[in-house]
Each structure stands twice: as C-alpha cells, then as structure tokens.
Amino acid sequence: MQRHADNTPAGEEPEAKQDEAPLLAEQPSSRTGLCSARCGLTLVLHISLFMAYALRVSLSIAIVAMTNSSHPHGCSGSAPRSSCPGFAQDAPVYSWSAETQGIILSSFFYGYGLTQALGGYCSGLFGGKPILGSGLLLSSVLTLLVPRAAELGVRFFIGLQVLLGLAEGVIFPAQYTLWAKWAPPLERSRLMNIADAGCTFGTFFALLVAGIICQSLGWPFVFYIFGAVGCAWCLCWFLLVYEDPAHHPWISAGEQEYIMSSLAHQGSSHGHSLPLVAMAKSLPLWAITIACFCTDWLFYMLLTSMPTFMSTVLHFDLRENGLLSSMPYVGNGLGHILAGLLADFLLARRVLGTAAIRKLFSALGMLLPAAFLVAVPYIGCSSTVVVILLTLALTIISLTGAGININHIDIAPRYAGFLLGITNTFGIVAGIIAPTAVGFLVGQDLQTGWRNAFFLSAALNLFGLIFYIAFGSGTIQDWAREDTAGQ
C-alpha cells in the first residue's frame, strides 16, 4: 500500500506496488475470519459507537416529552407532571421555549468541539483504550444524571449537556489512535467503516426506541436505561479491548505477526511534542481539513434543514412515518460498510493506489449528494421523490468514509487521533454555521432562500473536492515519520 512506501523516493504508483505485494503474500495465512482479534475489535468499536450515538441522540427525542409545548394535545403550562395522552404519567414537564430548547440541544456541540484535538493528543500519549473507555463511561454516567439536572433548572441542564459533549468529544479521536495500531493497510477501509456504521445504526435505534420508552415508562427512563446500558458496556470495553496486538493475550501468532509487520513502517505513537508547524504547512492535511469542512456542511445541511424544507415548502410531516424518517440513517450505515469493502477490494486487486482510492470515494461521496441537493428545489411537490433523494444523499455521502475520513491514517498514522480531532473540530464548526446560514437565507425569501442554500452547499462541496483532488495524498508525510518527528 502506498503509505508503506515513504521510505523510498520512488513515485506513488511504484511505491504502492512495492509495498502491497508483501502484504498480499501474508494475508491468506494471517486471516482467521470473524474470530480474528482485529474483527473482534471492529465489533466492539461498532457497539461502542452505537452506544455513544444512542446516548447523544436520546435528548433530541426525549425533549418532545419533556416540554409541554411539544406535547401533541397541548398541556397546561402550569402542570408540573405530564398529564397528556400518549405520555407516561408522573414524568416532569417543563415550560421551555423553543429558543431555550434550541440552546439546550446545541450546548452539547460546544463541549464536543473543545475536546476533539485534546482527545486525539491524550490518546496518542496514554493510549486509545483508556481515553475512549473513559469518555464513554463518563458520558453514560452523565446521561443517568440528566433527569436530576433538568429538575435543578435550565442552567444545570445546559451545563450537563456541555459536560456530556466534552466527554464524547474524545471518543472518535481515540478510535483512530487504536486503528493506527490494529488495522492492516489493506483492511483499513472495511474495518474502520464497519465500526463507524455503529454511529448511524445507533441513531436509528434511538429514534425508534426512545419514543416508545417515553410513552410507556416516561422520558426519564430513556436516560436511565441508555445510561445504565452504557455503563455496563464500558465494563465489557475495558475487559475485551487491548491497546495493540503485542499486548493481546488471545491473538494468534500469525495474526499478531501479520498486523505488526504490516504496520512496522509507521513507527510508535507520538510523544509530548508535536510537529505543529509542519502540520500547519502540510497541503495534504489542509486538503483533508477543507474537504471535511465542506462535506460536514452538506451533511448537517441534510440532517437539520431538509426536514424544515419538507415542512415549510412541501408541507410534509416526517412524524407521519417514523420508519421513513429513519431510512436515511440505515442507508448511511449500510453505505459505510459497502464503501469500506469496495475500497479494500480495489486496493487488494491493485486496481488503484491509495491516493486514487481516497479521491475516487471522496468524489462520489461529495459530488452526488450535492447534485441531489441542487435537484430538490426543482422536484415540485412530490414528497416521495424528495425523501428518496434525501435517503440517497445520506447514503452516498457515506462513501467519504473510505475517502477523506480515513485519509488521516494514510498520511500520518502516528498522529491519526490528533489530526482527526483537528479536522473534526472544523466539521463541527461547519455543523454550527450551516443551519444558521440556511436560516438567514430562507428568512430573506422562502423559495429563493432554499434554492440559494442548496446551491451554496453544493458549491462548497465542489470547491472542497477540487482542493482535495489537487493536494490530497496517500503516503506518509515527512513530518509524520518517527525519525523526523518533533523537528
């Protein structure tokens, strides 16, 4: 694979040929199917990300039952307990305005953005296992405290959501640090994408289950159940996960040798110092960062603004069919898995090199959703077609999971967690700005505003893709090598 070949000055394609051949020769004897340690780690990470996103999404569902203004039959603002049909009795109800609810829901992301880079840095120093496990455990414990924080008042509740964001912010960067030690180059796409699919499947599960819990048991039990399951799962995490193959007690000798030899070229984890100046000057890193910003802009545009477009322009209520509104998440999860499998297949068959694979999947994952988004204003009043386009867009955007999303490990495996934290921070900023920009544009004129908002998202994706294709790389950068780190 190309990222092995930075030890030689040859061009990219010859490098790929030189490095992939030894790996391919070792693969058959090193595979142990679904019982391999690296496949076990994939499953554990999938469930962990499933739990993290279930915890994260639970409030957006439960807040419907928590606020009397959102109850379907309208409740008295003075009622301290839920007395509305369809909701469990004796659950507290709060008279939070729409603005207050918006602040509560967005407060998570302010904390979430602050610990991205810090989580990546700490996982490089102390290991991905303790950082990810601690972040998930703290998130689960804080989720258990949500009902009590709501009783204490809005300020306590907002503060708890910020803390929850701080705790979850370390999870993704720590995952990348683990994969840099566990994922052989020719299996990296599928292992990481199968694990990442837990995010969308967790969201899908929470959307379906949290509402049922609210109606049958009361909204506090959403947090009690999800938080308790999260705490229990963390016990499994600390018992089942090992930092690297060298410390795994049950891994086969063949698999251990295969993984460690295929990753030997990338060096050990980074120390206290980081080559920050070199990182800031790295065009391949900027290519990933800008592409991630543009992709996340479109992604959050789809998730947050499309339902509003359907309601205000198409007069379509997604609540009429919960399964239909959840389909984009299923499509995104399946898209992640298929993209990872296909990318590794192409790499193993030497159809394309690493950089070409990353750029191909990024192009498909950025251009096609942008085209669907541009087409939406011209569809007319066919809500079915709009839902199909939305589902396709969120499915196809997952192809970037085999592109820009894992390109960090290609160019700098020693700093993968830290770099993911940096690019994720830019993505979170895009997620905060995008809905605001849409609101501003739509506020000027409904029809023209939506069209301009869609065109803006598409234009950003086109720009990000062009920049990434021009400057993206699939090989380890000089500043990321162990012998030049810190210089």
Side-chain angles (χ1 to χ4, degrees), residues 295-310 318 328-329 332 365-366 368-370 372-374 376 386 389-398 434-435 438 450 453-454 457 461:
T295 303
D296 283 338
W297 180 291
L298 187 145
F299 181 74
Y300 285 110
M301 164 80 173
L302 289 171
L303 288 185
T304 63
S305 299
M306 285 298 289
T308 304
F309 172 77
M310 292 180 186
L318 286 176
Y329 299 99
N332 189 271
M366 296 174 74
L368 292 179
F372 293 149
L373 206 59
V374 169
V376 166
V386 170
L389 288 178
L390 171 60
T391 302
L392 286 175
L394 278 173
T395 299
I396 295 175
I397 202 173
S398 64
V438 171
W450 279 113
F454 294 148
S457 297
N461 262 251

Side-chain angles (χ1 to χ4, degrees), residues 325-342:
S325 65
S326 302
M327 284 305 295
Y329 299 99
V330 178
N332 189 271
L334 294 176
H336 264 89
I337 296 174
L338 293 176
L341 293 172
L342 181 57

Side-chain angles (χ1 to χ4, degrees), residues 164-213:
L164 187 59
L166 290 170
E168 284 212 17
V170 305
I171 293 177
F172 255 95
Q175 180 207 184
Y176 272 55
T177 299
L178 276 174
W179 280 129
K181 302 173 183 178
W182 272 98
L186 295 184
E187 300 179 19
R188 193 164 277 166
S189 299
R190 63 175 175 268
L191 293 178
M192 294 181 67
N193 277 269
I194 290 173
D196 284 349
C199 300
T200 46
F201 289 144
T203 302
F204 173 74
F205 177 82
L207 286 172
L208 294 182
V209 173
I212 298 174
I213 296 175

